Amino acid sequence: MAVSVKDNNITAVLLCVLVLVGGCSAQLSPGFYSKSCPKLFQTVNSVVRSAIQKEARMGASLLRLFFHDCFVNGCDGSILLDDTSSFTGEKRAAPNFQSARGFEVIDQIKSAVEKVCPGVVSCADILAIASRDSTVTLGGPSWNVKLGRRDARTASQAAANNSIPPPTSNLNRLISSFSAVGLSTNDMVVLSGSHTIGQARCTNFRARIYNESNIDSSFAQSRKGNCPRASGSGDNNLAPLDLQTPIKFDNNYYVNLVNKKGLLHSDQQLFNGVSTDSTVRGYSTNPTKFSSDFAAAMIKMGDIKPLTGNNGEIRKNCRRRN
């Protein structure tokens, strides 16, 4: 008996309904919680804005948490898991230890969200929304955050050590690290622009200000005032990644690179007589282009290997598995 196209379509729909917890629900969508948690966005935004009002640096910290989550086995909230006697998470990995911060703000957001829609929203999605709201609060672009991620039941300290590019990275290492998670060289350059906000520890820029030549001399001298040459002395002293406007999300990061005022070795690698010079120069003179490209790249990064459907869980507490 012949089967019509209409019959095939009906069959496909019925199959999709039957396996709704599987592959058919795997697509992330900005409206994922529109019915199950309609107050989600305003709830997250309220906590984020309050946290940044108390400490402007927190905006950069929340944005960075999302980066460091997505780069390690996908955007699955694994970075939020605490170590236990039988479990080693990612918080003590080299890129995160004494560096990743903002976990208590994520706890506050989760608590607030649980009050309006208990057991519905994943910690991974909360991280994604908080990163967008942090950017907007500090004057940066907005974007439609795609949602529907579920939380990992595991984490990997080894993967965190291997996947997140350190501040000592050269250009090839940066390109390779981003490529490994499906992001292009241009994605890498524009996402590095998140260093227009936030601060770095002396231990991460000491070698650059004392040993490198592709650095503005007056800029290096000013940084030396808060970062002694001797290792172990003042290691945790902080300096803004963008000296011009450290708590405003703008394109000054690229202006700084053109002027050899990138604080980290990995930053200045983007403008050092290399293939990415023209992209950096373009963003340094076109803030609108930077903003639109950054928003698009953040959406793309948020698509890295999410857990959906029947995979993972919706954690009750972002710091531990259910």
Side-chain angles (χ1 to χ4, degrees), residues 147-169:
L147 302 168
R149 302 170 190 82
R150 288 167 66 85
D151 297 320
R153 295 189 179 98
T154 187
S156 174
Q157 188 176 105
N161 281 324
N162 293 328
S163 302
I164 301 169
T168 54
S169 299

Side-chain angles (χ1 to χ4, degrees), residues 7 22-23 27 41 47 65 71 97 104 124 132 140 154 158 167 226 316:
D7 289 336
Q27 196 70 29
F41 289 121
V47 180
L65 275 184
F71 266 68
F97 186 56
E104 71 286 349
R132 187 271 311 272
T154 187
N226 195 40
K316 294 172 184 156

Side-chain angles (χ1 to χ4, degrees), residues 72 83 88-96 155-163:
V72 184
D83 291 354
T88 302
E90 298 165 16
K91 290 182 177 179
R92 294 181 68 85
N96 298 326
S156 174
Q157 188 176 105
N161 281 324
N162 293 328
S163 302

Side-chain angles (χ1 to χ4, degrees), residues 103-299:
F103 298 107
E104 71 286 349
V105 176
I106 298 300
D107 293 339
Q108 292 167 17
I109 298 171
K110 179 63 172 173
S111 178
V113 169
E114 286 295 299
K115 288 177 181 175
V116 296
C117 47
V120 172
V121 183
S122 68
C123 299
D125 277 345
I126 284 173
L127 261 184
I129 301 169
S131 69
R132 187 271 311 272
D133 289 358
S134 293
T135 302
V136 173
T137 301
L138 293 175
S142 184
W143 58 90
N144 290 323
V145 181
K146 291 162 70 174
L147 302 168
R149 302 170 190 82
R150 288 167 66 85
D151 297 320
R153 295 189 179 98
T154 187
S156 174
Q157 188 176 105
N161 281 324
N162 293 328
S163 302
I164 301 169
T168 54
S169 299
N170 62 24
L171 183 62
N172 287 338
R173 170 77 183 270
L174 291 170
I175 291 172
S176 175
S177 295
F178 277 72
S179 177
V181 293
L183 297 172
S184 68
T185 299
N186 197 77
D187 293 328
M188 182 271 292
V189 175
V190 72
L191 289 172
S192 295
S194 61
H195 283 182
T196 184
I197 53 175
Q199 301 188 60
R201 294 184 298 146
C202 165
T203 187
N204 287 326
F205 61 84
R206 176 183 283 120
R208 170 150 169 75
I209 62 174
Y210 284 102
N211 302 332
E212 297 185 10
S213 58
N214 61 339
I215 186 170
D216 178 85
S217 58
S218 61
F219 172 71
Q221 196 60 40
S222 69
R223 293 299 91 210
K224 289 175 183 178
N226 195 40
C227 184
R229 181 188 290 271
S231 180
S233 177
D235 282 2
N236 292 323
N237 291 352
L238 298 171
L241 288 161
D242 170 14
L243 191 61
Q244 311 302 113
T245 50
I247 57 173
K248 182 182 179 185
F249 197 100
D250 56 24
N251 70 324
N252 270 336
Y253 168 78
Y254 301 102
V255 176
N256 292 334
L257 296 187
V258 171
N259 292 320
K260 297 185 178 180
K261 294 180 179 180
L263 183 62
L264 302 178
H265 174 82
S266 56
D267 288 329
Q268 197 60 55
Q269 285 290 292
L270 304 185
F271 191 86
N272 194 34
V274 290
S275 60
T276 52
D277 281 11
S278 60
T279 306
V280 169
R281 197 179 291 280
Y283 287 143
S284 75
T285 59
N286 193 337
T288 302
K289 173 69 169 168
F290 164 55
S291 290
S292 61
D293 285 2
F294 184 85
M298 285 297 292
I299 294 172

Side-chain angles (χ1 to χ4, degrees), residues 2-44:
V3 179
S4 69
V5 172
K6 181 179 178 181
D7 289 336
N8 279 332
N9 289 340
I10 292 172
T11 301
V13 170
L14 288 172
L15 285 171
C16 200
V17 170
L18 288 171
V19 294
L20 190 57
V21 294
C24 289
S25 63
Q27 196 70 29
L28 301 182
S29 164
F32 187 84
Y33 298 108
S34 58
K35 292 183 179 178
S36 59
C37 193
K39 294 183 179 179
L40 172 61
F41 289 121
Q42 66 193 71
T43 302
V44 175

